[in-house]
Amino acid sequence: MNRQFISKLLALLAGIALIFVAYNHNQNSIYIINGNAYGTTWSVKSSEYIGDQHKENIINIINRIDYVASNYKENSEISLINQNTNNFHFVSDDLFNILSIAKEVELQSLGFYNILLGKISSNLGFSPTFGKELVHKKNSSFKLNEKNQSLEKLSSNWFDLSSIAKGYAVQEIHNYLVKEKLVNHLIDIGGEIIANGNNAGKSWKIGIQNPFSISDNASIIVDNKFKFLAIASSGEYRNYKSDKYGNKLTHTINPKTLKSIDNEIVSVSVISKKSATYADAYSTAFNAMGSELALKIANKEDIALMLMINANDNVEILYSNKWYDEILWVKYL
């Protein structure tokens, strides 16, 4: 065996070793793209390479839905409808889809989910009034016509889609990634999450925070088991303000009292194998209605629900039946 042959063999073996190291590095690499939108942050993580064209398309999806559903943009589709005195409107595909799911959740939640409380939310300072004097009417309703994709407003109240738009955007990004064969991903927009496929050969694990912790410690870890899982959380333990009398004002409004919610629920988490849009809407509905009714409806509709409630300044955790059936979780003491 001559020296030239040995040199070539060593070079070949070194090349194979480098390829092996690179392969394992790529298998264990997580590609992340992120940014800011909807007054919060967003990120997409994947063990598969996310090219620039995909990043651009994901940003376009986020911006598209923002110009449909934002209460902060005066020229968004929903803001223009809010300020228009006409009752009848033809609407975009995105808005029709959002409103259809909102109506379904409204009916199943006995009216505790209501997206026509925008004037109240604006008057409380959670979204702009655009310089208008806003008077909320007691009756809030709307109708949809699937044949001509139209909306009929049955009151002059404003739509507020903040409880469903982020979930819809997460779902749309997921649909896009699956279509592009990028099936292993974790999408997060302000805590509205979809986990799909695997994380470099392992399942995705998502932490749900203890609301009484001053740090970001997770009290529950949810495992997606390599399948589609949407997670939405709702809670007012950080997103609230006080009026001049010191009363707590929250973004979530009780449609029955037309006031900020005031119940024992501290945090709501909904897990869906169907859609992030439904999970987002249901989490707000359950937050508004209180723990007893929330568990009753979740069990009736077969929804995986976890509630963290304030029991004499201690956290008590309650689960719907579906949670035990579907979710692998670990509780940290």
Side-chain angles (χ1 to χ4, degrees), residues 28 197-205 223-224 226:
N28 294 315
N198 68 79
N199 173 10
K202 299 178 181 179
S203 59
W204 294 102
K205 291 179 173 59
D223 189 320
N224 80 316
F226 302 95

Side-chain angles (χ1 to χ4, degrees), residues 180-240:
E180 296 297 320
K181 305 291 191 290
L182 297 168
V183 297
N184 301 310
H185 53 255
L186 180 73
I187 308 163
D188 180 357
I189 301 182
E192 312 304 326
I193 294 169
I194 283 179
N196 196 74
N198 68 79
N199 173 10
K202 299 178 181 179
S203 59
W204 294 102
K205 291 179 173 59
I206 303 98
I208 299 176
Q209 186 180 356
N210 180 345
F212 286 116
S213 173
I214 59 174
S215 66
D216 290 331
N217 295 333
S219 57
I220 300 290
I221 302 295
V222 176
D223 189 320
N224 80 316
K225 305 178 187 177
F226 302 95
K227 299 177 181 178
F228 174 92
L229 210 63
I231 305 176
S233 295
S234 183
E236 314 301 329
Y237 52 93
R238 286 187 177 176
N239 184 25
Y240 67 90

Side-chain angles (χ1 to χ4, degrees), residues 55-73:
K55 180 177 180 179
E56 183 178 345
N57 289 336
I58 288 168
I59 291 172
N60 287 340
I61 290 170
I62 291 171
N63 290 338
R64 184 190 85 216
I65 295 166
D66 199 25
Y67 276 96
V68 168
S70 175
N71 280 61
Y72 285 84
K73 288 181 167 55

